[in-house]
Amino acid sequence: MKMESGRFINFSTPTNIYSLTRMAMQNSSCKALSLKNCSSFRNSTVFGLLNLKSSSVKVLSLLHATCYSTGSDTEHSSSSKRRSRGPVMAARKKSEGERQDDGKYKHTVELPRTAFGLRANSVVREPEIQKIWDENQVYKRVSGGNTGGKFVLHDGPPYANGDLHMGHALNKILKDIINRYKLLQNFQVHYVPGWDCHGLPIELKVLQSLDQEVRKELTPIKLRAKAAKFAKSTVKNQMAAFKRYGVWGDWDHPYLTLDPEYESAQIEVFGQMALKGYIYRGRKPVHWSPSSRTALAEAELEYPEGHVSKSMYAIFRLVSTTTSCKLLDDFVPNLGLAIWTTTPWTIPANAAVAVNPKLQYAVVEVNSSPEEITALSSNKEKRLGHVFKENKSMYLVVASDLVPALEAKWGMKLMVKATLTGAELENCRYVHPIEGRESPVIIGGDYITTESGTGLVHTAPGHGQEDYVAGLKYGLPVLSPVDDEGRFTEEAGQFKGLNVLGDGNTAVIDCLDEKLSMIMVEPYKHKYPYDWRTKKPTIFRATEQWFASVEGFRKAALDSITKVTWFPPQAENRISSMASSRSDWCISRQRTWGVPIPVFYHVETKEPLMNEETIDHIETIISQKGSDAWWYLKVEELLPEKYHNEASNYEKGTDTMDVWFDSGSSWAAVLGKRSGLSYPADLYLEGTDQHRGWFQSSLLTSIATNGKAPYHGVITHGFVLDEKGFKMSKSLGNVVDPRTIIEGGKDKKDAFGADVLRLWVSSVDYTGDVMIGQTVLRQMSDVYRKLRGTLRFLLGNLHDWKAEYAVPYDELPMIDQHALFQLETVVKNIKESYDDYQFFKIFQTIQRFVVVDLSNFYLDVAKDRLYVGGTTSSTRRSCQTVLATQLLSIVRIIAPILPHLAEDVWQNLPFPFIDENGDAAKFVFESGWPKSNERHLAFPEKEVDFWAMILELRTEVNKVLEAARAAKLIGSSLEAKVYLHTSDADLLSRLTNMCASESEADALHRIFITSQVEILPFLEDNASVSENNVPLTGEYLTPSKNKIWIGVSRADGLKCERCWNFSLQVGSYDDHPTLCGRCHSIVSHPIPALAAAS
């Protein structure tokens, strides 16, 4: 019989518990010490009869045996007859109508018993376990009861504007694995989940939900009320999803950036920075989103592939030179500066042309034939300027190194007439091709290269950061004739009202062409900044904004980065590079939904009023009333009393703070304010994109106010891709939804549960991008089922266990001592992996040891002594001693990753777990991490090597047994006798001693699961091992290069009715003629009838 999907299915012939996987053992090997697959040829699983009701099921003939499952039940039908199923008695229900003989010795066989199911039923069971945790406040109890130090993983707030995706699941589960591990390590873990609740995305969600008429009636206060309601509703939904992932935290007291206490702490941080001189107002070019009508921080940009700009080569006519470059006079007035730009719309704001002083420049004569012009004109991608149709002499200044490239690009011959350095060009003047004003040639920076363009850079200080810096040096005007919507203003003259990213760009190109100042236009594919929310292009635009001067504390920030532990280590280089090169931080936004910048402006002079008194007063108001007060209170109420008489002279500012300033202040609002937390935090953990986001904004605000980083350690993870390595997209239909993974689709099929999702998180190297899909999830589910089956086997065979039954270590057989050494090594290695945050190594170790090595070797061999060794026998008790240690260790080392499975096992423990204080641990996380046992680790190295060799020998023996089965010499392995010989005297002696071992568990025939093993002192002229007697042979080469000859024949004697081993003793006992000596000894003494479950 086998059990499949909760049913028992009968096989017409008896099978053996070890027949399940014999075929798979070919070409396999094992290494016990390295924890490799000791028996990788076997995916052995054994089925069990649990809770069989006497009214319907009767344990009968030993020839109809069933086995207890340590793994997935779907793996065994193909190999169920290949290996001895052994002594476990099975039965069929009488209702099937087939006649059965009574099982005479059924009451002497010890079957495993447990209520712990093979199937997880995660959709039902996981919420039940979570309810138990909640009702008993397990997280709070464990954390509060731990006596170690504090551990604070500070939560980076997700945005409260939609459903969760796989990135959220990866992030939160990684955090929970760490927190749960720290709980087991006796730390007082304080995890406060948070949400980012302000900003444009939420404001846009609200506006999109309203019709046009309602929008017109929308006041700032009404908009803010709707935004707050939306954010809080989203937080509630996301919180429920995070809980379903099995994430523990202080869910009753999360932090929201819209809470008054949070907002007031944020105002406090802003005030401290302002009073130290780090906050200032200025007109500078910033990233501006026309689609959102607000300034953006670098962290709010994305650079999608495939953006194409209209790149243009243009001419600025030189009108005067300096004494250092008189040679240019010979070419004036037909001499022009050739520039190249990918933003032609910025030409109206041009204030200079920049050159590199170290580069060599050339004056070139442009020679174009009618044929060349005609050929170029026919190119649909390139547009040639009208200037070439004038047939006039034309000279251009370009970088000497770029002359060949420009010839190829323009399709014209460029004759070099003179050369000079960039330094010599400084202060020459040219006339603006549209506006007619004169502008200078200036010296730029290292950004001017010969990699592309012409080597001369069009400079518009109002539309570029490098241009702005160069403009400050030369006192250039900051022109930016563009409004909030990205349209030209009246200052742009003829272009007024045109969209700079559309028709305005084209109009500028056409105008230059008409004025014979355009050489060529062509498409140029490059990375270009987009608004990460609207997915539309941005522009650089000079506006009046509030900035944080990073330069004032940049060095301190860079120094602090070196004192933080970064994982992976290369993350330090990334954030250092970003912090060292970043410009001043634009912290103002032109939106309604956010924390206000607490500033007042003089009605006439527009001078800002912001000092310690005004900031403190507003902070107090917001702490009591929330930031809405800024919008509904009058100026007089917002100002301190000493300014009340002047209130009519001031108006409130309308800018709000960048949301990165919101979340970047969380160390102050949460870590610095809440009891039980600590600042700096022990750990921050977020996606790799947060190097330029939350990691950096938190660092800058903390350094600026307190001079130290807000974290001791930082972990970063990659993005989640589909299983083909593509970015998930609704349009591609490849989105993997964590809710669907856990609960299944609409039909509730393929519901894997939270633990399988968590197992996937532990399996991937999260430091890079990770992949997920149905194939991966099914693999994880398979691993989970095998692990659950192994734990079920351990539970079932400990149903009668008590701690006082434990056998002292020195009295354990060597196989048991070796098993404890393996277990202790695994626990030690897994602890190191947890400490190093390398969870994928834990997954690999657990899969290899628990699912493969343990089930396929030790538990496989143990079944004989567990089932038929005698209920109270020392051999069974010694094995149970090991099983209990294995169960209690395994369930705790997997608990951080698979908490639901671990708790389910713990609630089904057949014995209490008493901690070192004498208290019973009711929940798995109350039990603590397994205590290190140096005695187990001290297993002699020589013995470790020997048992590694024995396991490899076992693999080779199994190959010969399989050949014997294929040749129909034997059916099951218990029908076989194995012969061994080696010329190594020491090894021969050790093998001989194992055959005569006082401990039956160490006997070779038990390890090989055969009925007999004989060690031959010699092979030559040995009649007992002739080809007729021993038809199947093999060979094993030990690590020390000694050969062991292997032979297999049929076993001697008759088959024992109780244990199925063949023995010469069967038939020699009058009272039990069908039993072997071991079984006769067991059944001849009164023992509890524990075999049949009722």
Side-chain angles (χ1 to χ4, degrees), residues 929-1068:
W929 187 258
K931 301 297 181 186
S932 177
N933 192 314
E934 296 301 322
R935 184 78 182 280
H936 295 173
L937 280 175
F939 192 66
E941 185 176 352
K942 184 177 180 181
E943 288 298 313
V944 173
D945 294 339
F946 176 76
W947 279 92
M949 185 276 294
I950 286 294
L951 293 175
E952 291 181 349
L953 172 61
R954 182 176 186 262
T955 298
E956 298 306 314
V957 168
N958 283 335
K959 291 180 182 179
V960 183
L961 289 171
E962 176 59 25
R965 193 200 67 80
K968 301 189 182 305
L969 175 68
I970 61 173
S972 73
S973 63
L974 288 177
E975 295 176 18
K977 178 177 182 179
V978 173
Y979 299 86
L980 300 176
H981 169 75
T982 178
S983 59
D984 184 297
D986 291 339
L987 180 57
L988 188 71
S989 175
R990 182 69 188 268
L991 294 175
T992 302
N993 290 338
M994 289 185 73
C995 285
S997 173
E998 292 183 6
S999 170
E1000 196 174 78
D1002 290 336
L1004 281 176
H1005 72 285
R1006 298 298 182 207
I1007 293 171
F1008 295 157
I1009 314 179
T1010 59
S1011 287
Q1012 294 117 23
V1013 173
E1014 182 177 343
I1015 308 301
L1016 303 174
F1018 61 90
L1019 283 179
E1020 294 78 7
D1021 303 322
N1022 193 331
S1024 64
V1025 291
S1026 65
E1027 186 173 336
N1028 290 333
N1029 294 333
V1030 185
L1032 278 305
T1033 63
E1035 189 174 81
Y1036 165 61
L1037 187 65
T1038 71
S1040 56
K1041 307 304 180 185
N1042 292 310
K1043 292 182 180 179
I1044 298 179
W1045 177 87
I1046 304 166
V1048 169
S1049 71
R1050 282 195 61 84
D1052 299 329
L1054 298 175
K1055 185 177 181 180
C1056 173
E1057 182 182 354
R1058 180 173 178 273
C1059 71
W1060 285 20
N1061 279 258
F1062 282 72
S1063 172
L1064 294 172
Q1065 296 172 321
V1066 175
S1068 62

Side-chain angles (χ1 to χ4, degrees), residues 218 332 335 628 681 708 1007 1039:
L218 204 60
V332 176
L335 180 60
D628 279 353
K708 61 182 179 181
I1007 293 171

